[in-house]
Amino acid sequence: MPPPPAVPQPHPARGDQRWPWWPLLPLYPYGRRRTLVRELIPDQVWSFEQLQGLLYVAVPIRMTVLRLAGGLLLYGALPPTRELRRALEQLEQRYGPVLSIVLPTSSGLEHKLPLPALARAFPAAQVWISPRQWSFPLPLPLGWLGFPRERTRVLLEQGVPFPQELDWVALGPLDLGLGTFMEVACLHRSSGSLLVTDALVAIGPQPPALFEADPTPLLFHARDRGDEPLHDSAERRQRGWQRLVLFASYLRPERLQVPGLLEQLRYAMAPGLRRSKAYFGLYPFQWLPGWQEEFASLVPSGGLQLQVAPVLERLVFPRCRPALLAWIRRLAALEGVRQLIPAHYEAPVPCDGAGLEALATALEARPWAPAESSWTFLASVDAALLRWGVVPEQPGC
């Protein structure tokens, strides 16, 4: 199914994409966040998307906007740049005000940090947050974290927003040691859209439309050496996307080596690359033959497929598969699911109750949280966290 077209946007003026609070979580693209708006379900559901990542390992992050009987609900939060606020104001003019802003996760910093600023941008909206919020290194009150105390309520513990139109299903709480993982899914009954945050994703074989404005991350990773220029072509964008996905999924894939510092410096500062956009030619990666097959194994052809992101399976859910499977089966039991909208990668993903039940059965049957091949590095991180006592051996899922 081809992705829904983007909603036409006026060319942003200088400063419309500015995000001044980026130092709180210094993720790429730092202080400038372009927002792509797509209408997923006509007159009912919209996707607001920005890029985020470490250096050039960037993937889409999504805030989903639902039309309700009296206005709009925002599921997830994005940095409220002037560009994003204007797009929301256009929806408000047609469908009513922003009534509620929902933070559906207790642990996703990339979802949590923009929420106070987004709440200030819409001062009449009720703020709903998932239970078991936490902060590190000190456990701070919600008000100190920027949440508006007078209009912030806790999902499930203090009710849920718009129960006559929405169903809410929680995963967790799961003990992560330093804090708690919890995610609250939402079914928008009128559109059949099931909204989730991090637990499930569907990775597309092609680069998302967000990269069309600036394909630099794709072109950076498409190279084999640091002195290669960032030439642009459809083939190189595809190559860069596949490698980027492997990075984001496994942190250090099996078919990747890190060359020594002297070899990296040997190709640095090449003509045409002496600028920060190209990291001055520093390229600490060496891809070995077989990485394309590794991507094909992760992202099979034949349409979007739901999966648990490997980094979450190995670092968040390695000892909590039963809780995850029970949650997926509760989602499968909901009536009227027609598509799933995750907060990352592709959306919408065609999905129904039978498909979710089949996913749970497949996850139950295959080996869980492996420790070999591309999973080796993630497994070593998990083992180190266990050894240091950072995460519990028995998380009480």
Side-chain angles (χ1 to χ4, degrees):
M1 182 177 68
V7 176
Q9 300 286 317
H11 187 74
R14 185 176 180 84
D16 281 3
Q17 298 173 346
R18 180 172 174 266
W19 171 235
W21 296 102
W22 70 268
L24 294 175
L25 187 64
L27 297 177
Y28 176 86
Y30 312 112
R32 184 178 181 185
R33 303 296 177 92
R34 173 180 180 257
T35 303
L36 178 70
V37 182
R38 294 189 297 132
E39 186 176 55
L40 303 185
I41 310 296
D43 295 317
Q44 294 192 78
V45 184
W46 296 264
S47 174
F48 281 56
E49 301 164 13
Q50 296 178 2
L51 281 179
Q52 67 146 35
L54 292 173
L55 302 177
Y56 278 147
V57 182
V59 298
I61 179 171
R62 174 175 296 105
M63 176 179 74
T64 304
V65 181
L66 300 178
R67 180 188 178 185
L68 304 176
L72 305 173
L73 178 141
L74 312 183
Y75 181 91
L78 288 180
T81 62
R82 190 180 307 162
E83 180 183 40
L84 182 143
R85 297 196 306 272
R86 285 177 176 170
L88 279 175
E89 288 165 2
Q90 291 175 6
L91 292 181
E92 286 186 306
Q93 291 172 8
R94 296 185 61 186
Y95 304 107
V98 172
L99 301 172
S100 295
I101 303 172
V102 177
L103 173 63
T105 175
S106 65
S107 57
L109 290 179
E110 71 275 22
H111 305 287
K112 187 182 303 189
L113 284 175
L115 188 135
L118 186 64
R120 290 194 297 272
F122 297 92
Q126 186 82 50
V127 175
W128 292 84
I129 61 174
S130 72
R132 307 293 291 272
Q133 295 293 323
W134 56 279
S135 61
F136 178 84
L138 297 175
L140 300 176
L142 291 176
W144 290 24
L145 297 174
F147 294 91
R149 283 177 284 188
E150 70 283 356
R151 54 191 174 100
T152 297
R153 304 185 69 183
V154 180
L155 282 167
L156 306 175
E157 294 179 2
Q158 296 179 287
V160 294
F162 306 100
Q164 68 277 15
E165 299 182 66
L166 307 171
D167 291 318
W168 302 87
V169 182
L171 167 59
L174 310 178
D175 184 7
L176 300 182
L178 292 177
T180 299
F181 179 92
M182 193 163 185
E183 176 175 327
V184 185
C186 170
L187 174 63
H188 184 229
R189 296 192 202 110
S190 65
S191 70
S193 299
L194 179 60
L195 281 54
V196 300
T197 310
D198 297 319
L200 297 175
V201 297
I203 304 172
Q206 302 295 328
L210 263 176
F211 288 103
E212 293 176 4
D214 183 10
T216 302
L218 306 177
L219 307 181
F220 180 85
H221 287 291
R223 301 176 301 159
D224 291 321
R225 288 193 340 197
D227 58 347
E228 289 185 36
L230 275 64
H231 287 320
D232 192 4
S233 69
E235 186 275 333
R236 292 184 71 83
R237 291 190 184 198
Q238 176 74 9
R239 180 185 180 93
W241 171 244
Q242 293 177 349
R243 291 177 170 181
L244 191 154
V245 165
L246 291 174
F247 269 123
S249 300
Y250 299 112
L251 304 186
R252 186 168 177 176
E254 181 183 23
R255 309 311 299 169
L256 175 72
Q257 290 184 349
V258 178
L261 180 60
L262 291 179
E263 185 175 353
Q264 296 178 41
L265 294 176
R266 174 185 173 190
Y267 299 113
M269 303 301 292
L273 297 174
R274 297 166 186 168
R275 61 191 193 279
S276 59
K277 190 173 184 179
Y279 292 119
F280 303 100
L282 287 173
Y283 186 72
F285 313 117
Q286 182 179 358
W287 290 92
L288 304 177
W291 66 264
Q292 295 97 332
E293 289 76 9
E294 196 171 2
F295 176 83
S297 177
L298 178 66
V299 185
S301 59
L304 295 175
Q305 297 186 25
L306 287 175
Q307 61 178 283
V308 180
V311 67
L312 263 73
E313 179 175 334
R314 201 60 188 80
L315 297 183
V316 175
F317 303 131
R319 290 161 289 279
C320 291
R321 176 164 60 170
L324 176 63
L325 295 178
W327 178 69
I328 295 174
R329 288 189 164 118
R330 289 199 300 274
L331 297 180
L334 295 173
E335 294 184 4
V337 176
R338 295 194 290 275
Q339 56 268 326
L340 187 137
I341 302 175
H344 298 282
Y345 291 108
E346 296 294 331
V349 184
C351 177
D352 58 16
L356 287 167
E357 180 61 39
L359 172 65
T361 300
L363 294 176
E364 197 170 36
R366 71 163 173 81
W368 186 250
E372 64 279 350
S373 301
S374 277
W375 301 77
T376 302
F377 179 75
L378 294 175
S380 69
V381 173
D382 182 47
L385 295 175
L386 281 171
R387 186 168 60 252
W388 298 334
V390 176
V391 299
E393 290 191 23
Q394 301 296 328
C397 302

